[in-house]
Amino acid sequence: MLRPASVAVIGASDDATRIGGRPIAYMLQQGFSGAIWPVNPKRDTVQGLKAYASPAALPGAPDVAIIAVPGDSAREAIDALGEKGCRAAIVFTAGFAEVGEEGVAAQAVLVQTAARHGMRLIGPNCLGLFNQAVGFYPMFSTSFEQGWPHPGVIGIASQSGAYGTHMFALARARGLGTPVCITTGNEADVSLGEVIGWMAQAPEVQVICAYAEGIRESTRFIAALTLARQNRKPIVLMKVGRSALGTAAAQSHTASIAGDDAVTQAVLDEFGVVRARTTEEMLDIAYAATKRIYPAGNTLGVLTVSGGAGVLISDAAEQIGFPMPEMPPEAQVRLKSLVSFCAPRNPVDCTAQAVNDMQLVGKFATETAVAGGYSSILSFFTQVGGSTTMADKLRAELNAVRARHPDRLWALSIIASPERVAGYEEDGFLVFEDPTRAVVALHAMGRYGDSFARAAEAEGEIIVRHVTLPDTTPDEAEAKRILADAGIRAVPEAACANVEAALAAATRIGYPVVAKILSPDIVHKSEIGGVLLDIADDAALRDAFATLMQRGAERAPGARLDGVLIARQIKGATEIAFGILQDPVFGPIAMVGLGGVFIEVLKDVAFRRCPFDAEEATRMIRSLRGFPLLDGARGRPKGDVKALASALANLSVFAAGAGPRLRGVDVNPVLVLPDGQGVYAADAVIEVERA
Amino acid sequence: MLRPASVAVIGASDDATRIGGRPIAYMLQQGFSGAIWPVNPKRDTVQGLKAYASPAALPGAPDVAIIAVPGDSAREAIDALGEKGCRAAIVFTAGFAEVGEEGVAAQAVLVQTAARHGMRLIGPNCLGLFNQAVGFYPMFSTSFEQGWPHPGVIGIASQSGAYGTHMFALARARGLGTPVCITTGNEADVSLGEVIGWMAQAPEVQVICAYAEGIRESTRFIAALTLARQNRKPIVLMKVGRSALGTAAAQSHTASIAGDDAVTQAVLDEFGVVRARTTEEMLDIAYAATKRIYPAGNTLGVLTVSGGAGVLISDAAEQIGFPMPEMPPEAQVRLKSLVSFCAPRNPVDCTAQAVNDMQLVGKFATETAVAGGYSSILSFFTQVGGSTTMADKLRAELNAVRARHPDRLWALSIIASPERVAGYEEDGFLVFEDPTRAVVALHAMGRYGDSFARAAEAEGEIIVRHVTLPDTTPDEAEAKRILADAGIRAVPEAACANVEAALAAATRIGYPVVAKILSPDIVHKSEIGGVLLDIADDAALRDAFATLMQRGAERAPGARLDGVLIARQIKGATEIAFGILQDPVFGPIAMVGLGGVFIEVLKDVAFRRCPFDAEEATRMIRSLRGFPLLDGARGRPKGDVKALASALANLSVFAAGAGPRLRGVDVNPVLVLPDGQGVYAADAVIEVERA
């Protein structure tokens, strides 16, 4: 579809400014390598090309067709093209799913029509695409009025046509090469994931910029991310908007905390996709990525002529977690001997004195690169880099060092004319006016590097076994038994049908105990006062049993009451919550957070697609802002994070094996005991769709 | 010092590229309006000007002198200039406080020498300044090689010369006018605050860009911020670096949480100074401020041709708290009748259809401005704004609307040639390529507007009365008595010298009670087990008394033991902490935060310079991330925020009246009862410097 030998244009116009005319004009101007077959029943020629009256009249089956006719004519054209043997179409036509229910129905018919012929569709309601290498411009954007794409390695994949070409135009204005741009519109057939997947294997694309309003399917999207990572092609994604989760998931407590945006973020993190906060940031990162240097364990060395700029850069690096290790002590001594007032640690401030003697700049740069050994170097030379009296010498000094270390990412923060900037870029430097933007872009290269390295490690396969779920949502005791089988231990407890059984159980488990009402019909027990704590002896337990039965009858009329659950009361543990939610796109997603205010007030939770291993679970736990509470903050003992990670990973494997009937799991609280003493689920809810 | 009639250049050089030559060359090139008197004992003329052998040989007392001679010659020159009657000098000379102790001493001598003659100094170790209006260029920067400053209204005040001229050069490259730039170097005399204060009253400056590594004095700085706010001149500040607080403050718990950066931030917030995160952001904000429209209660209306960009802008606005109210329903109906598929709420998406019929753009823009009534409007037209076929029509349509509403801030996010951008700017539009940057800059205008409006309100004066502190750090009971006098109630309690008194007090107060060891020598009681809770009856209290006396003797040997403090034990309250720390620059600073993990793990605290009123205290409390806990989260009753704010404001007035001998106050915990029931200090430490 991207390198066709022939393209038919349905609704071809002789007017080069009309939707059906622009693609033909662009392909003629850019020397499209294939045949262009305009279809227009009213004309013999279109823009100087022979026109055909209908798809049936075409000289053969076109590799691709552009559909630029309105409404129902689009469906008719697709049918006729299918008959002719065409297997791919790019549909500009609007008025489908984007305009409401009627449009949704029309779109379904369109898709069925194409499917009957085995035909793939891009769109409808899309702006089209371009592949500069072969002059293929099936796109009706006005962008090209201001210039054609530069050659290069950045592919643009966008759900929005306006935004896709906005990215292209900004890239062009910066001199960045974007040989391919594909906009997917309504995604009735070809999805953003599929486009990214194509770019992940296409030799013309080495860096992928993507724009998404929502991810509509996961299979091809995940496959694309996997392939891109395998092929060491970085993806920068702009994902806008947040929408509420579907009502299906809202019943579970875990689900109500999430948001599909948080789930998407978790998936992006999993595959090392960097999410840009602004379009500018996206292009900064793509620009840096064109160097194709992705260091794992990225570090930043800073060489500056301004102490203030050095501090500013350090602030920015610290804020995003970009390590700036100190220079080795012996190198600091050497630098001090060169310029006694220099700051030699990192940032390395060579001061104005070094600028007056450019050879010193070379020496400082060498020390930074060799002794410092940083994978990324940012040099702040502001106007010196553009000075008519100094820039040439500066460039020569810096480039001599850079050329000996081609494996480093080396960015300059300078103010200079476009010509001078181009000179530095030819040498192999990245050039950013603003040092903060350079820090963000360089840091992203390390995030890719780490992700590529993780993917390259021979990860142990996670074995997922099929889990047989009960026919309906189980009660707490049954839920805990299921989780125990999955490797998540519960607090020692016993389900007791009557008060005598409860007394026996409490004696066995040991006082103090907790008593909870036992009913398959009551999901959130504490809301009806169905949980009683601090039961110290037999007398108190008798009272508690009676109280719970009475509350159950009064506050949940009609609910089946199976007795009470007696459990050991554990004190002094750190309370965690974890659980599973079913995302409509990405399937089961695990969540973990610290109990209480951390989840409910601060939304301090981590998400991850299931299944995953204990190492990944550890990363999730450590990413929590409240993690210090598990790590010995406030004089507490360290929590058993290892056992917690293991339990969380087990939960993820359970969820992956349980299939779509598992609607959600809430394990809250999970009691984390001190290191080596394990974790216990103190309450558990498993919601299951009725079989 | 900024508009002199004569300037002497000590160390004047005939070489226009040397430090002593550049200022002369620049002033000659830019037609300095005053007399230039080069001082050089070896030459008759310097750059074509008559030279003088020494300061004594000058034809009169220069209004200002530039000192461009090294080391001790600088001091000698200043002495000679003082004798001659000169009263101001700009000192380029380096090698003073920035190079260590010897330099500090030399700098002190320099300052004394100048002071003897009543002479003011800028620097030493500064790059100088410029005032373009009179062609005054006492600056040795190489920046001017790439061009002169544009006329305009932005003043640059910078502690760093390199960074100050970096800002100037970036501004020039953007076409922003910076008529004045002043760099302060070591600030031996003239400080950044004084420079900002000058700009706050100078007619040539309407917008102030400042760069600081640290604020060294508060009196002139605060006066400058006050004056700038009064004169409705916005300040954008780049403040880099974070350093640990002085050891003097480290003893107090409150102080150890702070950092001088957080204190500076609190001062900036107080005066509505916007802190830029990057240089780019600083210039974006300064650019928007040149319109001199500062709406209080700023709202954002978005007019877009791309739904995706609309969502992206909404995300950005939400993230920084920039309100985007919906269009009125009747206006939405009208928009729908113009373009049935448009999105009329806000963002208002006029879709590509409106672009095809430019009159529709005018109608949509009118509705957004008139019916929407937004004080700020951002229009995303991407490449349409630069399109050769469409831009002229677009500009005419938009400008017709804008011209009828000159009170609005109106930004365009477009991609266009510099010439077209200049055209839109002539019309009065702000132009940003990146919409996110536009959102941040427009939002800042509202922050200024709100701050100017607050300053204009007749604020009730806060009456600060002198507080007499005890001679030494008081014990807890005395501390609470002092705070009670200041309007901060403690939990009902009694200091008891012996066990009989304790028993009587407990009976009076009512069990359960808390018992705490009472000693002026033990600051943090809980660390030695000096606090016992849940004392239920007389027997338990007898035990508790004995235990505390024993622990005091064993664990704090030598400490005076004055008995125990018996207090009512309050349960179910929300725990807050507040306190005072003495900042070495800004004096007493109040802090408030939620107890427990919020302060210790999350550093979720708010700071404010003392004194302030209850309204400001309420703002501080509401700014806490954990505020929902006081506002009914998790099914709790709402806390008595009014009483809390009143207590916090009272504390701030107390601290302001107590003077510098007050080293710190910790009130932790403060128990906040449900609304209407008040707050109680449950523990209090007041640290006082020995009289």
Side-chain angles (χ1 to χ4, degrees):
Chain A
M1 202 184 272
L2 281 140
R3 304 180 199 103
S6 56
V7 57
V9 183
I10 315 302
S13 171
D14 197 51
D15 180 345
T17 70
R18 295 186 62 97
I19 288 180
R22 285 188 184 268
I24 297 172
Y26 296 153
M27 287 190 279
L28 289 173
Q29 286 171 48
Q30 289 294 291
F32 173 49
S33 59
I36 307 172
W37 297 336
V39 174
N40 183 329
K42 296 179 189 157
R43 301 185 61 94
D44 291 339
T45 64
V46 165
Q47 299 188 39
L49 298 169
K50 175 176 165 50
Y52 302 89
S54 68
L58 291 173
D63 283 354
V64 185
I66 298 168
I67 313 292
V69 289
D72 203 46
S73 315
R75 189 197 52 74
E76 287 162 14
I78 282 179
D79 207 15
L81 284 161
E83 289 293 333
K84 189 76 185 180
C86 174
R87 294 293 170 262
I90 298 160
V91 188
F92 293 167
T93 319
F96 290 96
E98 79 278 12
V99 303
E101 283 197 24
E102 232 173 283
V104 170
Q107 185 167 310
V109 173
L110 193 76
V111 169
Q112 285 156 16
T113 306
R116 220 169 36 235
H117 299 293
M119 190 191 288
R120 302 300 311 271
L121 296 183
I122 290 186
N125 188 34
C126 82
L127 195 71
L129 56 91
F130 67 73
N131 183 5
Q132 179 225 31
V134 293
F136 186 45
Y137 278 84
M139 185 178 257
F140 67 94
S141 167
T142 59
S143 311
F144 310 113
E145 287 179 9
Q146 293 185 61
W148 299 100
H150 302 294
V153 297
I154 301 169
I156 297 172
S158 176
Q159 288 177 338
S160 155
Y163 207 82
T165 52
H166 177 71
M167 278 195 274
F168 147 65
L170 286 176
R172 183 187 54 211
R174 285 198 192 193
L176 288 178
T178 55
V180 181
C181 173
I182 303 174
T183 73
T184 54
N186 287 7
E187 302 194 339
D189 177 10
V190 172
S191 67
L192 186 72
E194 204 163 358
V195 169
I196 294 174
W198 179 81
M199 291 183 177
Q201 57 73 40
E204 47 268 76
V205 175
Q206 295 301 333
V207 176
I208 301 168
C209 283
Y211 169 90
E213 279 156 29
I215 306 299
R216 298 195 180 97
E217 59 77 37
S218 69
T219 314
R220 289 172 288 173
F221 186 70
I222 296 289
L225 302 195
T226 308
L227 185 62
R229 185 171 59 168
Q230 228 166 58
N231 292 347
R232 297 178 64 84
K233 295 192 187 179
I235 302 173
V236 206
L237 181 82
M238 166 68 75
K239 155 87 170 56
V240 298
R242 288 156 196 276
S243 63
L245 269 181
T247 43
Q251 209 185 329
S252 133
H253 176 74
T254 298
S256 69
I257 294 158
D260 67 346
D261 195 75
V263 171
T264 304
Q265 185 61 55
V267 173
L268 301 181
D269 289 344
E270 181 182 347
F271 290 96
V273 174
V274 173
R275 190 167 174 180
R277 290 167 299 181
T278 67
T279 314
E280 191 168 74
E281 188 172 293
M282 175 146 66
L283 291 175
D284 286 345
I285 291 170
Y287 167 56
T290 59
K291 291 276 167 268
R292 300 178 70 182
I293 298 172
Y294 309 113
N298 197 13
T299 56
L300 178 65
V302 175
L303 178 61
T304 178
V305 285
S306 155
V311 182
L312 186 148
I313 291 166
S314 306
D315 283 359
E318 187 182 299
Q319 208 203 329
I320 58 173
F322 194 172
M324 286 181 55
E326 272 194 27
M327 290 283 284
E330 58 286 4
Q332 295 192 32
V333 171
R334 287 195 298 271
L335 292 174
K336 278 279 187 190
S337 76
L338 290 172
V339 178
S340 64
F341 304 147
C342 79
R345 287 158 58 128
N346 187 25
V348 174
D349 180 2
C350 63
T351 79
Q353 190 159 341
V355 174
N356 288 336
D357 174 2
M358 280 293 168
Q359 292 196 330
L360 282 173
V361 171
K363 289 173 187 163
F364 271 79
T366 301
E367 288 287 1
T368 308
V370 178
Y374 307 108
S375 48
S376 297
I377 300 175
L378 173 56
S379 303
F380 182 86
F381 282 99
T382 176
Q383 306 159 79
V384 177
S387 158
T388 46
T389 52
M390 294 182 285
D392 290 338
K393 275 181 269 177
L394 178 74
R395 183 179 163 189
E397 286 290 334
L398 287 175
N399 196 40
V401 183
R402 197 211 58 75
R404 284 197 300 275
H405 304 283
D407 58 326
R408 311 300 170 86
L409 281 162
W410 201 314
L412 305 179
S413 176
I414 54 166
I415 304 177
S417 66
E419 297 70 35
R420 280 201 189 277
V421 168
Y424 289 110
E425 287 182 332
E426 269 164 38
D427 289 345
F429 292 104
L430 295 161
V431 179
F432 292 88
E433 211 172 61
D434 191 285
T436 311
R437 283 168 60 181
V439 169
V440 171
L442 292 173
H443 180 238
M445 299 308 104
R447 291 173 62 189
Y448 293 126
D450 291 339
S451 171
F452 296 158
R454 267 210 304 278
E457 282 165 21
E459 277 185 31
E461 269 307 291
I462 297 170
I463 297 162
V464 175
R465 278 170 308 179
H466 175 70
V467 173
T468 306
L469 292 173
D471 288 347
T472 57
T473 290
D475 65 16
E476 181 181 340
E478 173 68 2
K480 285 180 174 168
R481 198 197 51 70
I482 293 170
L483 291 179
D485 284 351
I488 300 131
R489 272 195 304 179
V491 174
E493 62 178 19
C496 307
N498 51 49
V499 71
E500 286 72 29
L503 291 166
T507 306
R508 199 170 60 245
I509 288 168
Y511 285 106
V513 297
V514 180
K516 301 180 193 180
I517 202 159
L518 202 56
S519 164
D521 302 319
I522 302 171
V523 173
H524 294 294
K525 299 171 190 67
S526 53
E527 286 172 12
I528 63 150
V531 179
L532 297 173
L533 307 175
D534 289 316
I535 301 166
D537 52 32
D538 283 5
L541 181 53
R542 279 180 199 280
D543 286 353
F545 192 94
T547 303
L548 289 176
M549 288 301 109
Q550 193 188 345
R551 287 183 181 170
E554 283 171 7
R555 299 179 190 175
R560 286 163 288 172
L561 301 182
D562 297 343
V564 300
L565 193 77
I566 301 297
R568 184 191 297 162
Q569 180 155 342
I570 292 175
K571 286 199 168 178
T574 304
E575 293 197 3
I576 298 288
F578 58 48
I580 299 291
L581 62 98
Q582 278 289 355
D583 184 79
V585 173
F586 292 106
I589 306 287
M591 182 224 70
V592 63
L594 274 95
V597 295
F598 282 92
I599 290 187
E600 297 184 25
V601 178
L602 302 168
K603 318 287 185 209
D604 177 26
V605 290
F607 294 96
R608 181 66 153 74
R609 208 167 55 98
C610 301
F612 50 85
D613 61 15
E615 203 178 321
E616 181 59 38
T618 307
R619 270 195 288 271
M620 289 171 71
I621 295 160
R622 298 189 72 96
S623 76
L624 298 170
R625 272 184 289 156
F627 176 72
L629 282 187
L630 285 171
D631 201 39
R634 308 186 75 203
R636 290 162 178 252
K638 288 199 179 202
D640 197 336
V641 172
K642 201 174 155 192
L644 176 61
S646 167
L648 179 57
N650 289 342
L651 179 71
S652 80
V653 174
F654 162 78
R661 276 188 57 234
L662 180 71
R663 291 212 301 228
V665 178
D666 272 322
V667 190
N668 183 7
V670 178
L671 305 174
V672 181
L673 274 59
D675 202 10
Q677 298 177 38
V679 300
Y680 293 103
D683 196 356
V685 176
I686 299 180
E687 288 189 71
V688 171
E689 201 165 296
R690 198 172 283 275
Chain B
M1 201 183 274
L2 280 138
R3 305 181 199 103
S6 56
V7 57
V9 183
I10 316 302
S13 171
D14 197 52
D15 180 345
T17 70
R18 296 184 63 95
I19 289 181
R22 285 188 183 268
I24 296 173
Y26 297 152
M27 287 191 279
L28 289 173
Q29 285 170 49
Q30 289 293 290
F32 172 49
S33 59
I36 307 173
W37 297 336
V39 175
N40 184 328
K42 297 181 190 156
R43 300 185 61 94
D44 291 340
T45 65
V46 165
Q47 299 187 40
L49 298 169
K50 174 175 166 46
Y52 303 88
S54 69
L58 292 172
D63 283 356
V64 185
I66 299 169
I67 313 293
V69 288
D72 203 46
S73 315
R75 190 196 50 74
E76 287 163 14
I78 282 180
D79 206 15
L81 284 160
E83 291 293 334
K84 188 77 185 177
C86 174
R87 294 292 169 261
I90 298 159
V91 187
F92 295 168
T93 319
F96 290 96
E98 79 278 12
V99 302
E101 281 196 26
E102 231 174 285
V104 169
Q107 184 166 311
V109 173
L110 194 76
V111 169
Q112 284 157 16
T113 306
R116 219 167 38 234
H117 300 290
M119 191 191 287
R120 300 300 309 272
L121 296 183
I122 290 185
N125 187 32
C126 83
L127 195 71
L129 56 89
F130 67 73
N131 184 5
Q132 180 227 29
V134 293
F136 186 45
Y137 279 83
M139 184 178 259
F140 68 94
S141 168
T142 58
S143 311
F144 310 113
E145 287 180 9
Q146 295 185 59
W148 298 100
H150 302 293
V153 296
I154 301 169
I156 297 173
S158 175
Q159 289 177 337
S160 155
Y163 207 81
T165 52
H166 177 70
M167 278 195 275
F168 147 64
L170 286 175
R172 183 187 54 209
R174 286 195 192 195
L176 287 178
T178 55
V180 181
C181 173
I182 303 174
T183 72
T184 54
N186 287 7
E187 301 194 341
D189 177 10
V190 172
S191 67
L192 187 72
E194 204 163 359
V195 169
I196 294 174
W198 179 82
M199 291 183 177
Q201 57 72 40
E204 47 267 76
V205 174
Q206 295 301 333
V207 176
I208 302 167
C209 283
Y211 169 90
E213 279 155 30
I215 307 299
R216 299 195 180 97
E217 60 79 36
S218 69
T219 313
R220 290 173 288 173
F221 186 70
I222 296 288
L225 302 195
T226 307
L227 185 63
R229 184 170 61 169
Q230 227 168 57
N231 292 346
R232 296 178 64 85
K233 294 193 186 178
I235 302 174
V236 206
L237 180 83
M238 166 68 75
K239 156 84 170 58
V240 299
R242 287 154 197 276
S243 63
L245 268 181
T247 43
Q251 207 185 331
S252 134
H253 176 74
T254 298
S256 69
I257 294 157
D260 67 347
D261 195 75
V263 170
T264 304
Q265 185 62 56
V267 173
L268 301 181
D269 289 344
E270 181 183 347
F271 290 97
V273 174
V274 173
R275 189 166 174 181
R277 291 167 298 180
T278 67
T279 314
E280 191 167 76
E281 190 172 292
M282 175 146 65
L283 291 175
D284 286 345
I285 292 170
Y287 167 57
T290 59
K291 292 274 167 270
R292 301 178 68 182
I293 298 172
Y294 310 111
N298 198 12
T299 57
L300 178 65
V302 176
L303 178 61
T304 177
V305 285
S306 156
V311 182
L312 185 148
I313 291 166
S314 307
D315 284 358
E318 188 181 297
Q319 209 203 327
I320 58 172
F322 194 172
M324 286 181 56
E326 272 195 26
M327 289 284 284
E330 57 286 4
Q332 294 192 33
V333 171
R334 289 195 297 271
L335 292 174
K336 278 280 188 191
S337 76
L338 291 172
V339 178
S340 63
F341 304 149
C342 80
R345 287 157 59 128
N346 186 25
V348 174
D349 180 2
C350 64
T351 78
Q353 191 158 342
V355 174
N356 288 336
D357 174 1
M358 280 291 168
Q359 293 197 329
L360 283 174
V361 171
K363 290 174 185 162
F364 270 80
T366 301
E367 289 287 1
T368 308
V370 178
Y374 307 107
S375 48
S376 297
I377 300 175
L378 174 56
S379 303
F380 181 86
F381 282 101
T382 174
Q383 305 158 81
V384 177
S387 158
T388 47
T389 54
M390 293 182 286
D392 290 338
K393 275 182 269 178
L394 178 73
R395 182 178 163 190
E397 287 289 336
L398 287 175
N399 196 38
V401 183
R402 197 211 57 76
R404 285 197 299 276
H405 303 282
D407 57 327
R408 311 301 170 86
L409 281 162
W410 201 313
L412 305 179
S413 176
I414 55 167
I415 304 176
S417 65
E419 296 71 34
R420 280 200 189 277
V421 168
Y424 289 110
E425 288 182 332
E426 269 164 36
D427 290 346
F429 292 104
L430 294 161
V431 180
F432 291 88
E433 212 172 61
D434 191 286
T436 312
R437 284 169 59 182
V439 169
V440 171
L442 292 173
H443 180 238
M445 298 309 104
R447 291 173 62 190
Y448 293 126
D450 292 338
S451 170
F452 296 158
R454 266 208 305 278
E457 283 165 21
E459 277 184 33
E461 269 307 291
I462 297 169
I463 298 162
V464 175
R465 277 170 308 179
H466 175 70
V467 173
T468 307
L469 292 175
D471 287 348
T472 57
T473 290
D475 66 16
E476 181 181 340
E478 172 68 2
K480 285 180 173 167
R481 199 197 50 70
I482 293 171
L483 290 178
D485 284 351
I488 300 131
R489 273 195 302 179
V491 174
E493 63 179 17
C496 308
N498 52 49
V499 71
E500 287 71 30
L503 291 166
T507 306
R508 200 171 61 245
I509 287 169
Y511 284 108
V513 296
V514 180
K516 302 180 192 181
I517 203 160
L518 202 55
S519 165
D521 302 319
I522 301 172
V523 174
H524 293 293
K525 301 171 188 65
S526 53
E527 285 173 13
I528 63 151
V531 180
L532 296 174
L533 307 175
D534 289 316
I535 301 166
D537 52 33
D538 283 5
L541 181 53
R542 280 180 199 281
D543 286 354
F545 193 93
T547 303
L548 289 177
M549 288 302 108
Q550 193 187 344
R551 287 184 181 170
E554 284 172 5
R555 300 181 189 174
R560 285 163 290 173
L561 300 182
D562 297 343
V564 302
L565 194 78
I566 301 297
R568 186 190 296 161
Q569 179 154 344
I570 292 175
K571 285 200 167 177
T574 304
E575 292 198 2
I576 298 288
F578 58 48
I580 299 292
L581 63 99
Q582 277 290 355
D583 184 79
V585 174
F586 292 106
I589 305 288
M591 182 224 71
V592 62
L594 274 94
V597 295
F598 282 92
I599 290 186
E600 297 185 25
V601 178
L602 302 168
K603 318 286 185 211
D604 177 26
V605 290
F607 295 96
R608 181 67 153 75
R609 208 166 55 97
C610 300
F612 49 85
D613 61 14
E615 204 178 319
E616 181 59 39
T618 307
R619 270 197 288 273
M620 288 171 72
I621 295 161
R622 297 189 73 96
S623 77
L624 297 171
R625 274 184 289 157
F627 175 71
L629 283 186
L630 285 172
D631 200 39
R634 308 187 74 203
R636 290 161 176 251
K638 287 199 180 206
D640 197 337
V641 173
K642 201 174 155 192
L644 176 62
S646 167
L648 180 57
N650 289 343
L651 179 71
S652 80
V653 174
F654 163 77
R661 275 190 57 235
L662 181 71
R663 290 213 302 227
V665 179
D666 271 321
V667 190
N668 183 9
V670 178
L671 305 174
V672 181
L673 273 61
D675 202 9
Q677 298 177 39
V679 299
Y680 293 102
D683 196 356
V685 177
I686 299 180
E687 288 187 72
V688 171
E689 201 166 295
R690 198 172 282 275

